[in-house]
Amino acid sequence: MKLLRYGPSGQEKPGVLDAAGGIRDLSGIVDDLSSATLAAGALDKLKGTDIESLPTVSGNPRIGACVGAPGKVVCIGLNYSDHAAETGAEPPKEPIVFMKATSAVQGPNDTVRMPRNSKKSDWEVELGVIIGKHAKYVSEADALSHVAGYCVANDVSEREFQAERGGQWTKGKSCDTFGPIGPWLVTADEVADPQDLDMFLDVNGKRFQTGNTKTMIFSVAHIIHYCSQMFSLMPGDVIMTGTPPGVGLGVKPNPVFLKDGDEMYLGIAGLGEQRQKVVAD
């Protein structure tokens, strides 16, 4: 199923995509698609649902983040060897793990607002993984059984905040609006292999990123296994698994960064697309 949340920010309702690409309302079955409802078995409640019998949603509503109120957003840095190379970094021997503030999470087509004094805001198309059940000390072989589904994510990053102002990466990754996810939570049963998904990102109609998840250094299964040895992954948690080459920071000889009025367009095969206007605060 391609699950989604639609409606005004803070008032989203759960929905599902029907065979014709229309939205059907799920609020008669589950209250929301959130960390709380996933923990309470929302996906089990939806099994066997006759989607075509559900009420249709008219018009063209705003699409919200595909999971509401995630407990945490875990990010994996430099997880594609060619991306590590373009930034001048050595490929990591273990996953680089950092957090993105949950207040950065927003809908896939909502406006991205660059913070005041931003000089180096950048883009990163990433495969998002949404945890479906508690994962602690899980084996790599069993890791994918803990996945509720997958989504498109844009790990928007302010590079000066991230790398030039001391401390850790979190402050360059966590600006408000810097975590668009969705449009859909595509349930795990519909993704045959998370390690073979084409992905792309354009800025103002120019292709910057082209990649495939097969070139990840650490697979989705390994990332879940690895993180679960250190902390619990809970239903509704989001993992952003790293980006392929083509970020603005890596453009040679002169890096390219986002500016007021730019438009990002990105997607992953089978998981949908996002489009964001960039506005300076």
Side-chain angles (χ1 to χ4, degrees):
M1 290 182 287
K2 292 180 172 64
L3 304 173
L4 57 101
R5 300 169 69 248
Y6 68 93
S9 180
Q11 304 175 45
E12 292 92 348
K13 295 182 178 181
V16 61
L17 220 60
D18 64 23
I23 300 173
R24 302 286 180 136
D25 180 32
L26 285 173
S27 59
I29 305 174
V30 293
D31 293 333
D32 197 359
L33 300 168
S34 66
S35 54
T37 60
L38 287 173
L43 294 189
D44 288 336
K45 293 178 183 177
L46 296 175
K47 287 180 180 177
T49 298
D50 179 6
I51 293 173
E52 304 302 319
S53 70
L54 296 171
T56 58
V57 177
S58 60
N60 187 30
R62 169 189 171 269
I63 304 300
C66 59
V67 60
K72 55 184 171 289
V73 179
V74 181
C75 300
I76 308 299
L78 302 177
N79 196 28
Y80 290 70
S81 57
D82 34 13
H83 170 56
E86 73 176 348
T87 65
E90 289 292 323
K93 293 181 173 59
E94 294 191 29
I96 296 172
V97 180
F98 62 95
M99 299 292 182
K100 182 185 284 280
T102 56
S103 53
V105 174
Q106 66 167 12
N109 304 314
D110 292 344
T111 298
V112 167
R113 306 194 69 90
M114 294 187 299
R116 294 176 184 175
N117 304 312
S118 171
K119 298 175 182 177
K120 298 181 179 181
S121 288
D122 203 349
W123 54 83
E124 294 190 7
V125 60
E126 305 203 3
L127 172 65
V129 180
I130 299 164
I131 299 299
K133 65 178 181 180
H134 177 229
K136 180 68 173 177
Y137 301 131
V138 300
S139 67
E140 190 165 337
D142 188 46
L144 294 185
S145 71
H146 294 261
V147 174
Y150 301 90
C151 68
V152 182
N154 189 354
D155 178 20
V156 187
S157 309
E158 213 299 343
R159 302 300 187 188
E160 187 198 31
F161 294 6
Q162 176 186 353
E164 299 175 31
R165 296 180 60 177
Q168 300 183 0
W169 290 3
T170 300
K171 62 188 175 185
K173 298 284 190 171
S174 294
C175 305
D176 293 351
T177 77
F178 271 26
I181 58 171
W184 314 314
L185 185 167
V186 181
T187 52
D189 60 297
E190 290 199 3
V191 179
D193 183 2
Q195 301 308 145
D196 189 15
L197 298 173
D198 290 327
M199 54 210 307
F200 73 90
L201 184 143
D202 299 348
V203 180
N204 300 330
K206 179 180 178 180
R207 180 64 46 92
F208 279 90
Q209 288 190 277
T210 302
N212 186 288
T213 56
K214 69 176 64 173
T215 65
M216 283 183 183
I217 298 170
F218 306 107
S219 68
V220 172
H222 183 78
I223 290 166
I224 293 170
H225 155 73
Y226 182 86
C227 290
S228 78
Q229 307 309 304
M230 301 168 187
F231 51 85
S232 288
L233 294 167
M234 305 299 292
D237 285 353
V238 178
I239 304 174
M240 295 187 182
T241 56
T243 197
V247 299
L249 178 66
V251 175
K252 303 292 190 294
N254 300 310
V256 176
F257 297 111
L258 294 168
K259 60 185 184 300
D260 187 67
D262 283 350
E263 184 173 85
M264 293 180 282
Y265 170 54
L266 58 148
I268 299 177
L271 304 186
E273 299 173 347
Q274 301 183 354
R275 192 180 295 271
Q276 296 117 19
K277 183 77 173 290
V278 178
V279 174
D281 261 351

